[in-house]
Amino acid sequence: MLIIADNLQITHPEIAEAIEALNPGPIVSLVKRCLAAGADAIDINPGPLKKAPGEKMRFLVDTVATVTDKPLLLD
């Protein structure tokens, strides 16, 4: 069985603000908590990114990749 952390979502207000500001802090903190809880993979779900979607998705993937080498699932 694999545990996939699915809480890196834009519906989380702190994450939405971090994405908008390109602030890695809250994202790194959440990913570290997921890993400490036993996540085998991290699901990245930014929802609809209206402004600069490529830049923001790249920011998210790069930010998460600095914290883990676990598989990333991109929604």
Side-chain angles (χ1 to χ4, degrees), residues 7 15-17 19 21-22 27-30 34-35 37 41 43 45-47 51 53 57-59 64-65 71 73:
N7 32 357
I15 298 303
E17 290 174 17
I19 293 169
L22 300 178
I27 296 163
V28 167
S29 177
L30 178 59
C34 291
L35 295 169
D43 181 60
N45 182 357
K51 291 183 180 177
M57 189 63 170
R58 189 169 27 259
F59 161 75
V64 175
L73 299 125

Side-chain angles (χ1 to χ4, degrees), residues 2-75:
L2 294 175
I3 298 172
I4 300 171
D6 187 32
N7 32 357
L8 188 60
Q9 304 178 27
I10 201 163
T11 56
H12 187 295
E14 187 177 16
I15 298 303
E17 290 174 17
I19 293 169
E20 186 62 31
L22 300 178
N23 175 11
I27 296 163
V28 167
S29 177
L30 178 59
V31 171
K32 285 181 177 181
R33 290 193 313 268
C34 291
L35 295 169
D40 296 308
I42 305 293
D43 181 60
I44 298 175
N45 182 357
L49 297 171
K50 296 180 182 175
K51 291 183 180 177
E55 175 187 7
K56 290 179 181 173
M57 189 63 170
R58 189 169 27 259
F59 161 75
L60 277 169
V61 171
D62 289 347
T63 298
V64 175
T66 66
V67 182
T68 185
D69 59 355
K70 302 276 185 180
L72 306 181
L73 299 125
L74 308 178
D75 285 347

